[in-house]
Amino acid sequence: MTQTQTIPEGAEAPPSGALDRYFALTARGTTARTEVLAGVTTFLTMAYIVLVNPAILGSAGMPVASVAAATCFAAAFASILMGVVANTPLALAPGMGLNAYFSFTVVQQMGVPWPVALGCVFISGIAFLVLTLTGVRQLIVNSIPPYLFAAVAGGIGLFIGFIGFKDAGIIVANPATFVALGDLKAPGAALALFGLVVIGAMSVWNVRGAMLVGIVATTVVGWIAGMVSISPEPYSLAALTGTAFKLDLGGVFGLSGSHGLGLLEILFVFLFVDLFDNIGTLVAVTKRAGLMDAAGRIPRLNRILITDATATIVGSMAGTSTVTSYVESAAGVQAGGRTGLTAVVTGLLFLAMMFVAPYAQVIPLAATAPALIIVGGLMLLPLTEVEWEDPLSAIPAFLTVAMIPLTFSIANGLAFGITAHAALKIVRGTVRKADWFLLVLALLFVARFVWMGAA
């Protein structure tokens, strides 16, 4: 018997043809139009990386225009590959945090030349790939209890919201209280509040593409108010040659004690942070998109992880720091993205951005910040799946949710949650043989905390 899908009243008819069959649009309850809107929304929320990544890596002595081109290329390649190979609405780009570690710690503090640092990124990508092909990364994902998946999703929601508030200037640093309310009359904060009202209103009215429309409307208001200034640097696609294939693998293996802990320390950080940041983002986005199966497993996990590892390898050859999955992908998912077509659209826009990379600043942070705030709030829904009355789940879940935004690190949140979960299982006496990998992870996290404290 052939099953037919009922189209809700007022909904767009599902597409047909090769595109529908390849990306399973109808099967996932979406359409090409929705996927395109979702891809554009994801791109707009993470387009800032085209400006921020070159600025950070440029402080390490890398040519800024070259890094801008490499950033666009790496994000385009990785996102398109993720969409085509894994059919998942997950966009990738050079990761924030790891680019700062690359520039400020590895290059500036440890004195490692940037071509050698790129070589370290390349080798860490190879290590990611080996861990994936041998099943270690899959073991890590499978060892995390389902309620921690929900906690990670909620923690990342708070993380995304916090980033949005910070970008908007609604929350600012304060030496006495760490954070405080910013000046809401300031142009950036006022513009972000306008965008928050627009996106919020259209969301409750169920306007399709509310995020995208809100970002564009806020940007236009920013232009009219004279808040967007454009002063692009001279740029052409030929700039990519300044960093492409400049990695120095020979220098990696020649690192000496003059670079602190040298090769092992650098590779450990690149590997560890990307590994757990990627897992946390992957869990949150796929859960929000409804792509997890009934047992809490992520379909096509191996393809997703292989794509992530390949992206880091290619990104290092293009001339940028570690490429990883972006939490901003949740904005596209909230806009309706359910398939890899969302990621492909995002990647194509990054590819187009290669031609005009310096002009990405026409979209101010105050325009994308409201989308991040609203997406962050909507991502708290999975927290209802945590059994808060049971300390065995409530304590690790709370630590995970709290530590992700408070330490500005998905990896730290996972570390606290997994370590607490393992410790409480030991105390309760419910550890089983099947929990061996969970205990190994907990020990590794404890060793990491000790190492960080001694650094």
Side-chain angles (χ1 to χ4, degrees), residues 344-378:
V344 170
V345 171
T346 301
L348 291 175
L349 290 173
F350 271 113
L351 193 62
M353 184 58 69
M354 285 188 68
F355 296 90
V356 290
Y359 292 90
Q361 60 187 301
V362 299
I363 303 172
L365 287 177
T368 58
L372 297 181
I373 293 170
I374 290 179
V375 169
L378 295 173

Side-chain angles (χ1 to χ4, degrees), residues 297-323:
R297 294 185 296 264
I298 301 172
R300 299 170 301 281
L301 176 62
N302 203 49
R303 292 187 181 188
I304 294 172
L305 297 178
I306 289 175
T307 298
D308 175 69
T310 303
T312 289
I313 294 170
V314 173
S316 68
M317 292 191 291
T320 186
S321 53
T322 304
V323 176

Side-chain angles (χ1 to χ4, degrees), residues 4-209:
T4 58
Q5 180 174 349
T6 302
I7 302 171
E9 184 179 354
E12 180 182 347
S16 59
L19 195 67
D20 183 20
R21 290 192 298 272
Y22 187 87
F23 289 105
L25 300 178
T26 301
R28 297 191 188 179
T30 185
T31 65
R33 178 178 178 273
T34 298
E35 295 294 300
V36 170
L37 284 174
V40 174
T41 301
T42 296
F43 170 77
L44 290 177
T45 58
M46 59 187 288
Y48 67 87
I49 194 63
V50 178
L51 296 175
V52 177
N53 196 51
I56 291 176
L57 298 188
S59 65
M62 299 183 69
V64 174
S66 301
V67 176
T71 300
C72 292
F73 173 79
F77 171 84
S79 298
I80 293 173
L81 187 66
M82 181 65 75
V84 172
V85 173
N87 196 17
T88 300
L90 200 64
L92 299 89
M96 292 295 295
L98 283 172
N99 54 5
Y101 175 76
F102 179 105
S103 179
F104 303 125
T105 302
V106 176
V107 177
Q108 297 184 46
Q109 292 184 17
M110 299 176 68
V112 177
W114 65 261
V116 176
L118 283 178
C120 290
V121 174
F122 177 86
I123 294 174
S124 71
I126 297 295
F128 298 156
L129 189 59
V130 171
L131 289 178
T132 300
L133 294 176
T134 55
V136 174
R137 292 179 81 174
Q138 295 89 324
L139 273 176
I140 293 173
V141 174
N142 293 334
S143 67
I144 300 174
Y147 79 86
L148 277 185
F149 285 168
V152 167
I156 289 179
L158 291 177
F159 186 30
I160 291 176
F162 185 71
I163 291 173
F165 283 120
K166 181 182 71 71
D167 288 347
I170 296 174
I171 289 178
V172 296
N174 184 289
T177 60
F178 293 103
V179 293
L181 183 66
D183 181 5
L184 301 185
K185 299 188 298 296
L191 182 61
L193 288 174
F194 166 79
L196 194 61
V197 171
V198 172
I199 297 177
M202 288 192 296
S203 296
V204 298
W205 290 334
N206 295 319
V207 176
R208 302 191 69 176

